Amino acid sequence: MAYSEQEILAGLAEIVNEETGLPTESVTAEKSFTDDLDVDSLSMMTIATLAEEKFDVRIPDEEVGNLKTVQDAVNYINSAQQA
């Protein structure tokens, strides 16, 4: 099942909430994981792993560093599920 961008964003917000305790409504597309959401590299790996499980996609470790904003992650997951 392919998820819409809105569903991916909502799912990522839930994952970030689980990992950081930030309210889901504070996780928006334009937010930077490190600058705005205070996600460190270890938490980012956990978020990527949880996103892989939730959306049934593969996010290689070397790609995780390229996911600077929530929108980057949404775009990556969206294109990975089409592959």
Side-chain angles (χ1 to χ4, degrees):
M1 174 188 141
Y3 293 89
S4 71
E5 284 199 19
Q6 201 55 47
E7 290 169 324
I8 295 169
L9 179 59
L12 283 171
E14 289 171 14
I15 291 168
V16 171
N17 169 262
E18 288 170 27
E19 182 64 20
T20 65
L22 288 170
T24 54
E25 58 273 5
S26 71
V27 181
T28 56
E30 69 280 355
K31 294 280 178 91
S32 160
F33 284 110
T34 51
D35 297 339
D36 299 322
L37 302 176
D38 203 26
V39 173
D40 63 22
S41 57
L42 184 60
S43 292
M44 194 61 205
M45 293 305 287
T46 303
I47 290 167
T49 301
L50 292 171
E52 285 179 323
E53 293 169 9
K54 183 170 189 70
F55 300 111
D56 195 29
V57 295
R58 177 89 182 90
I59 306 172
D61 291 351
E62 61 272 9
E63 285 295 326
V64 174
N66 296 329
L67 305 178
K68 305 291 185 207
T69 66
V70 176
Q71 187 64 51
D72 291 342
V74 169
N75 292 344
Y76 189 89
I77 293 165
N78 196 30
S79 63
Q81 69 181 357
Q82 311 295 333

